[in-house]
């Protein structure tokens, strides 16, 4: 599984990354977690607001910092 957290490095983007990282670590997921700060790469996903969580190429969450429960649903756990 590949999980990308898209965002320019703002506080909300950092917070979203931490939430996703915590869920991945607590559930011992076999996942590659990547932080994407490149604007051109973010535009490839068609998002207009950050942070965004992308799982295996699909945008699952965008525009806000998700709760742990929502991240778990997005990851299918």
């Amino acid at each position: 599984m590949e999980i990308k957290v898209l965002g320019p490095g703002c506080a909300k983007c950092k917070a979203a990354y931490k939430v996703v990282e915590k869920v991945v670590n607590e559930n011992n997921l076999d996942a590659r977690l990547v932080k994407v700060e490149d604007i051109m790469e973010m535009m490839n996903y068609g998002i207009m607001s950050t942070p965004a969580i992308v799982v295996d190429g699909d945008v699952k969450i965008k525009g806000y910092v998700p709760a742990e429960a929502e991240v778990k649903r997005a990851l299918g756990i």
Side-chain angles (χ1 to χ4, degrees), residues 1-4 53-60 71 74-75:
M1 175 186 313
E2 182 179 59
I3 306 165
K4 294 182 179 181
I53 312 296
V54 179
V55 180
D56 292 332
D58 293 326
V59 178
K60 299 290 188 176
V71 172
L75 299 179

Side-chain angles (χ1 to χ4, degrees), residues 5-66:
V5 178
L6 312 181
C10 64
K12 285 184 180 180
C13 300
K14 290 176 183 175
Y17 184 90
K18 287 181 181 179
V19 171
V20 174
E21 184 177 47
K22 183 177 181 192
V23 170
V24 168
N25 290 338
E26 286 181 352
N27 293 278
N28 296 316
L29 297 180
D30 183 19
R32 182 171 161 244
L33 182 57
V34 180
K35 188 165 191 336
V36 178
E37 295 182 352
D38 181 64
I39 300 295
M40 296 309 289
E41 187 174 347
M42 284 188 258
M43 289 177 71
N44 290 333
Y45 291 98
I47 61 162
M48 299 304 288
S49 58
T50 58
I53 312 296
V54 179
V55 180
D56 292 332
D58 293 326
V59 178
K60 299 290 188 176
I61 301 167
K62 60 184 174 185
Y64 58 93
V65 178

